[in-house]
Amino acid sequence: MSQTAANLLTTLRAAPPLVQCITNYVAMNIAANVMVAAGASPAMVSAAEEAEEFAGIAGAVTVNIGTLSPPFVAGMRAAIRGAQQAGRPWVLDPVACQATRYRREVVQALVAERPTIIRGNASEILSLAGEASQGQGVDGRDAVEMAEKGARRVARSSGAVVAVTGAVDYVTDGTRAVRIEGGSPYMPMNTALGCSLTCLCGAYAAVADDAFDAAVGALAHFAVAGERAQEGASGPGSFAPRFLDALAAVTPEALSAAVIHDAAVQA
């Protein structure tokens, strides 16, 4: 049975899941704040010496390749092993995977480990699908709709739910698909909000029976909070604290009213 975003938020806040967030240096602080505001419990544990063991006690693991280095990659691989051994979901954020050969090689190896959810912008998902993108560094310069077909292919080949985020988000498992409206133009002007959303996908995955429902729930939470935070914000700077407040204030009832549309799934 499908779990609604409202039901998942209720479950998440009743027993905040511990999520092991292996994310980049730029994102660590804001991602931790986002997780706490939303109702989850983050742990930025990335050292290979403890990452595998810690994954066994976490409800989910999230892996973000934003600031790659061999020690970071070793920690990622260790955490993924721990998650797999414990039967925990894990989420991949392929930050700027199109930018360099090293990133392409690392992300291909991580996708082969069959993540539960892959969350990225359209440029990153196009790259994973083997298509050309206009992405420059970490900036996504492709429209979400351009990546929808590739997202479905990646979902089918990897077994992951793929969430493409942008002006209107797209989530697919290769069989089902939805579009989620909301958010704010100020969101991409705030560094690491996308990385933080990946961590929140992990929190929702930790309490969901279905990874598709988890991705939809996390993205809907962000969309509703972003829309509310824009009210009264005069720019990206004043938006940032309002967004944290809005994440905390979002209720299950508000998520019941989130704008989520079924989308046709094609080959």
Side-chain angles (χ1 to χ4, degrees), residues 132-218:
S133 79
Q134 299 181 57
Q136 182 175 348
V138 299
D139 295 329
R141 299 191 175 187
D142 297 278
V144 170
E145 55 266 28
M146 297 298 295
E148 291 183 0
K149 185 175 181 179
R152 295 192 293 270
R153 288 205 313 274
V154 172
R156 290 166 182 157
S157 64
S158 69
V161 170
V162 178
V164 191
T165 53
V168 176
D169 301 330
Y170 181 77
V171 179
T172 184
D173 63 0
T175 301
R176 298 169 289 176
V178 299
R179 295 187 180 93
I180 302 166
E181 297 182 21
S184 164
Y186 294 137
M187 294 175 82
M189 299 181 193
N190 274 265
T191 300
L193 280 194
C195 303
S196 303
L197 176 53
T198 297
C199 295
L200 191 60
C201 285
Y204 272 80
V207 300
D209 297 327
D210 186 327
F212 182 84
D213 294 339
V216 171

